[in-house]
């Protein structure tokens, strides 16, 4: 898609993948941080990671396995909390631990079998060996994530504002909420091979956290977060490939630096401090 | 529904929270007419908020029948909520909440607009009128998190008025308001009741209630112990004496 700008195929695919993955994650990061379900996003990322590890071990398509695992976890949290009479937070903590244990077990076991290299890509991401089809899939999920927000914008913003108020004004909160979790799980699963299970969480939180420092309106956050994420991710990919540095970890560090700078420069915070 | 039919009718209603061992509301029967002003009193934990959330279908009815605006609450909870305003108690928004006052008030119409549709001119007109009724039209573009508690309360009130409700359920509407704002809200409530809107209000502050007949409903341990008409000045006395009788029983 960007071949007319970037001639090198590997670099081109890497930039495209980072662009689509970052935009998809960033628009969803606004939902994740504002509905305050970051722990669900965190657990889903690790469930997808565990699913992919199991898939690799069993020679089943890791992407399909990670989608199944991510969605299952999203839909398990409620019933598990009710049945075991645990708070959702405790249920998420348990599920996170179990997912992490499963993922590490299979990665370690594959290393003993000499298949460790491909499994390591799940941990820290891999943008080098991408097929064109994988980039198309990322472009598709990017469109799905944006379309989801555009189509259900009213309902999503009301749920972000307050779930109980959203329910009281006549919005069917549960179906929209579960649709949100499904789109997040799908995005997480498809972005996992690019960004890696351990770093994906940065993409799901940092863009919205940066945008919030400058935006008074949610609509602005939905524009600023993906723009910032795209710029940081493309920069990370170009710099990483140019100097042979690991792309996803480098980009995650860039996100952290930009977040710190945003907090220091935020006009919204300055107003708050002055008020105090 | 004929004009003489009650706008709210509860018959032997039991409500239980998900996972609870026993019902929170027990055998509630209540009939409220169009344009009535109802004050719900009683001690903390008596089930006042639960009663409001049962009426607008936010809580599951485990037994009995409830109809609001002629619609079955059990089957059409979402439809009921499109016609019933509900002001929840104790809201305070973080200064970084990314919503302007206008956006928050517009949310009041989201249920009536329907899925996949965008707000139209009539929705923005309703928002403008609701803001004017509360006297906060100059705050329209301000972020809600940067307003005082009383102003935020008025914004949420405007959100409910924006969908032109037939019934208004208010849970502690005076909790964040100063004396002047309380008087203002009371005048507004009196106007709403005169225009035929049914108002149910949960409150511990019974002074300065709007003029006109008031129905007092006193709750105790999940059931109604008193439901009678009186003047605004008698409300506190009725609630107090009902509380004493119930505690001695």
């Amino acid at each position: 898609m960007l071949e007319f700008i970037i001639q090198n195929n590997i670099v081109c695919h890497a930039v495209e993948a980072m662009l689509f993955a970052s935009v998809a994650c960033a628009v969803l990061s606004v939902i994740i941080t504002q509905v305050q379900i970051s722990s669900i996003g965190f657990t889903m990322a690790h469930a997808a990671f565990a699913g992919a590890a199991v898939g690799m071990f069993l020679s089943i398509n890791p992407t399909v396995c990670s989608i199944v695992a991510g969605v299952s976890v999203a839909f398990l949290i409620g019933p598990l909390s009710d049945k075991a009479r645990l708070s959702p937070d405790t249920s998420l903590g348990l599920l996170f631990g179990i997912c992490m244990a499963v993922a590490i077990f299979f990665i370690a076991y594959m290393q003993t079998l000499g298949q460790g290299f491909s499994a390591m890509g799940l941990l820290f991401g891999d943008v080098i060996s991408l097929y064109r089809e994988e980039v198309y899939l990322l472009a598709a999920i990017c469109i799905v994530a944006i379309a989801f927000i555009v189509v259900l914008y009213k309902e999503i913003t009301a749920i972000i504002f307050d779930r109980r108020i959203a329910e009281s004004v006549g919005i069917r909160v549960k179906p929209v909420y579960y649709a949100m979790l499904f789109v997040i799980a799908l995005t997480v699963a498809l972005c996992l091979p690019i960004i890696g299970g351990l770093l994906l969480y940065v993409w799901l939180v940092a863009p919205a956290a940066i945008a919030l420092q400058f935006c008074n309106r949610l609509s602005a956050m939905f524009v600023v977060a993906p723009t910032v994420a795209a710029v940081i991710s493309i920069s990370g990919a170009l710099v990483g490939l140019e100097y042979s540095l690991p792309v996803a970890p480098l980009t995650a560090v860039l996100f952290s630096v930009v977040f710190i700078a945003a907090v220091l420069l935020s006009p919204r915070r300055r107003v708050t401090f002055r008020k105090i | 529904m004929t004009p003489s039919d009650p706008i709210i009718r509860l018959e032997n209603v039991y409500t239980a929270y998900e996972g609870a061992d026993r019902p929170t509301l027990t055998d509630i029967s209540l009939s409220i007419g169009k344009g009535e002003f109802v004050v719900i009193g009683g001690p903390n934990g008596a089930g006042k908020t639960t009663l409001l959330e049962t009426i607008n279908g936010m809580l599951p009815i485990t037994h009995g029948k409830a109809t609001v605006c002629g619609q079955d609450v059990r089957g059409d909870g979402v439809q009921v909520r499109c016609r019933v305003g509900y002001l929840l108690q104790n809201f305070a928004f973080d200064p970084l909440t990314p919503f302007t006052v206008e956006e928050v008030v517009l949310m009041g119409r989201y249920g009536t607009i329907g899925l996949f549709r965008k707000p139209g001119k009539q929705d923005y007109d309703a928002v403008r009128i609701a803001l004017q009724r509360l006297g906060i039209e100059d705050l329209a573009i301000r972020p809600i998190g940067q307003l005082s508690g009383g102003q935020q309360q008025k914004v949420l009130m405007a959100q409910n008025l924006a969908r032109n409700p037939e019934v208004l359920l208010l849970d502690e509407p005076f909790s964040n308001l100063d004396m002047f704002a309380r008087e203002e809200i009371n005048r507004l409530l009196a106007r709403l009741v005169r225009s035929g809107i049914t108002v149910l209000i949960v409150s511990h502050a019974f002074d300065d209630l709007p003029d006109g007949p008031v129905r007092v409903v006193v709750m105790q341990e999940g059931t109604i112990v008193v439901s009678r008409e009186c003047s605004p000045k008698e409300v506190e006395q009725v609630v107090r004496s009902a509380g004493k009788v119930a505690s001695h029983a």
Side-chain angles (χ1 to χ4, degrees), chain B residues 37 42 62 79 115 169 174 188 217 242:
Chain B
F37 184 80
T62 53
Q79 294 304 320
L115 206 61
L169 311 173
F174 305 122
L188 174 71
V217 172

Side-chain angles (χ1 to χ4, degrees), chain B residues 148-160:
Chain B
S148 69
Q151 287 171 322
Q152 289 181 3
Q153 186 87 328
K154 281 185 177 181
V155 173
L156 294 179
M157 186 81 171
Q159 184 190 61
N160 282 292

Side-chain angles (χ1 to χ4, degrees), chain A residues 11-204:
Chain A
V11 178
C12 184
H13 284 175
V15 168
E16 287 169 351
M18 287 300 270
L19 171 67
F20 296 132
S22 64
V23 170
C25 289
V27 290
L28 296 174
S29 77
V30 177
I31 296 178
I32 289 170
T33 55
Q34 295 301 304
V35 184
Q36 297 178 357
I37 51 169
S38 22
S39 45
I40 295 181
F42 187 52
T43 309
M44 268 199 262
H46 286 84
F49 175 40
V54 173
M56 279 183 133
F57 178 73
L58 298 173
S59 301
I60 304 171
N61 188 328
T63 307
V64 174
C65 291
S66 53
I67 291 171
V68 171
V71 172
S72 308
V73 158
F75 288 87
L76 257 178
I77 296 156
L80 181 68
S81 305
D82 291 341
K83 288 271 176 217
R85 300 215 168 205
L86 296 170
S87 70
D89 195 48
T90 311
S91 306
L92 284 167
L94 274 169
L95 286 170
F96 162 68
I98 293 165
C99 292
M100 201 63 186
V102 169
I104 290 171
F105 173 82
F106 280 101
I107 286 175
Y109 192 54
M110 277 188 282
Q111 273 181 332
T112 62
L113 299 175
Q115 303 169 356
F117 180 72
S118 56
M120 286 306 279
L122 290 177
L123 278 172
F124 306 112
D126 178 14
V127 291
I128 305 288
S129 50
L130 284 173
Y131 292 109
R132 187 174 289 275
E133 291 73 25
E134 289 176 288
V135 178
Y136 287 153
L137 210 54
L138 284 169
I141 193 60
C142 182
I143 292 167
V144 167
I146 293 169
F148 172 71
I149 287 159
V150 171
V151 171
L152 292 174
Y153 187 74
K154 284 197 322 291
E155 289 73 18
I156 291 169
T157 52
I159 291 171
I160 284 175
F161 182 65
D162 185 87
R163 274 175 74 172
R164 275 166 54 77
I165 288 181
E167 197 181 352
S168 77
V169 301
I171 286 172
R172 293 175 199 276
V173 170
K174 265 194 178 171
V176 178
Y177 182 72
Y178 280 111
M180 272 180 197
L181 293 184
F182 180 74
V183 174
I184 293 169
L186 207 61
T187 307
V188 161
L190 292 177
C191 294
L192 186 78
I194 314 299
I195 296 167
L198 290 185
L199 298 172
L200 193 53
Y201 192 60
V202 177
W203 271 256
L204 292 173

